[in-house]
């Protein structure tokens, strides 16, 4: 009886030690997991939820090949919320990382256009014109009317 009690006490002492070594947080998901959740939430109209998921994707894999596009997507959502300064920061990150990674012209074109739109909406027409012209140089289509009207 005493031997069984000792074994039980030993087990009861050991279980909490094993538990201490375990992390109670959920394991980090992959970039793809958070990106897809962000995309789903954006499509469902949950802009703040999408921003949160895109932020998690960026945190999990800051140098992932799709991270420049994720910064761009988050910038678009912030732009929709009228948070132009925050959107511009995301477009800047998209551009910087896109250039660093040697991404093609397409991500640079859309990021320059997005940043130009945020600058224009925040009242910085001169800055918007610079970015729209740069987006046009990288092949973004349809900017001629904006450039003609606002960029003299």
């Amino acid at each position: 009886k005493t031997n069984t009690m000792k074994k039980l006490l030993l087990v009861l002492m050991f279980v909490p030690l094993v538990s201490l070594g375990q992390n109670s947080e959920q394991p980090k998901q992959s970039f793809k997991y958070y990106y897809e959740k962000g995309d789903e939430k954006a499509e469902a109209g949950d802009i703040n939820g999408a921003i949160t998921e895109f932020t998690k994707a960026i945190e999990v894999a800051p140098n992932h090949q799709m991270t420049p596009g994720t910064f761009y997507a988050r910038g678009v959502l912030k732009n929709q919320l009228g948070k132009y300064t925050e959107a511009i920061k995301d477009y800047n990150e998209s551009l910087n990382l896109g250039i660093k990674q040697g991404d093609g012209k397409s991500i640079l074109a859309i990021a320059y256009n997005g940043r130009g739109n945020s600058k224009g909406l925040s009242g910085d027409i001169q800055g918007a014109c610079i970015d729209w012209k740069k987006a046009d140089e990288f092949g973004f289509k349809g900017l001629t009317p904006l450039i003609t009207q606002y960029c003299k």
Side-chain angles (χ1 to χ4, degrees):
K1 189 174 176 184
T2 310
N3 207 11
T4 306
M5 178 77 103
K6 283 182 181 177
K7 286 181 183 177
L8 180 61
L9 287 173
L10 186 60
V11 168
L12 290 174
M13 287 174 55
F14 182 68
V15 169
L17 291 176
V18 171
S19 301
L20 283 175
Q22 295 176 351
N23 190 343
S24 62
E25 293 179 26
Q26 291 183 337
K28 281 190 173 180
Q29 298 293 335
S30 68
F31 175 91
K32 182 179 177 184
Y33 172 83
Y34 289 122
Y35 183 86
E36 288 176 354
K37 280 188 73 171
D39 199 36
E40 289 169 11
K41 288 184 178 189
E43 286 182 25
D46 180 4
I47 294 174
N48 287 314
I51 289 171
T52 298
E53 297 302 328
F54 287 144
T55 300
K56 289 177 186 176
I58 292 164
E59 289 170 351
V60 167
N63 293 310
H64 191 279
Q65 67 184 29
M66 288 180 55
T67 302
T70 308
F71 273 111
Y72 168 79
R74 196 173 72 173
V76 169
L77 296 170
K78 289 177 178 178
N79 198 47
Q80 289 177 3
L81 294 175
K83 297 180 177 182
Y84 306 125
T85 303
E86 289 181 33
I88 290 167
K89 288 178 185 175
D90 279 347
Y91 295 131
N92 289 341
E93 289 296 325
S94 177
L95 289 164
N96 291 335
L97 194 55
I99 291 167
K100 180 180 170 187
Q101 289 182 353
D103 287 346
K105 291 181 176 182
S106 61
I107 187 66
L108 301 177
I110 63 172
Y112 276 117
N113 180 62
R115 190 173 73 178
N117 292 339
S118 290
K119 287 179 178 180
L121 290 167
S122 68
D124 179 8
I125 301 302
Q126 185 177 358
C129 287
I130 292 168
D131 284 345
W132 290 332
K133 289 177 182 176
K134 197 76 167 163
D136 187 57
E137 287 174 28
F138 279 108
F140 195 92
K141 305 291 182 209
L143 290 174
T144 304
L146 274 176
I147 293 170
T148 302
Q149 182 175 353
Y150 294 104
C151 310
K152 309 214 180 226

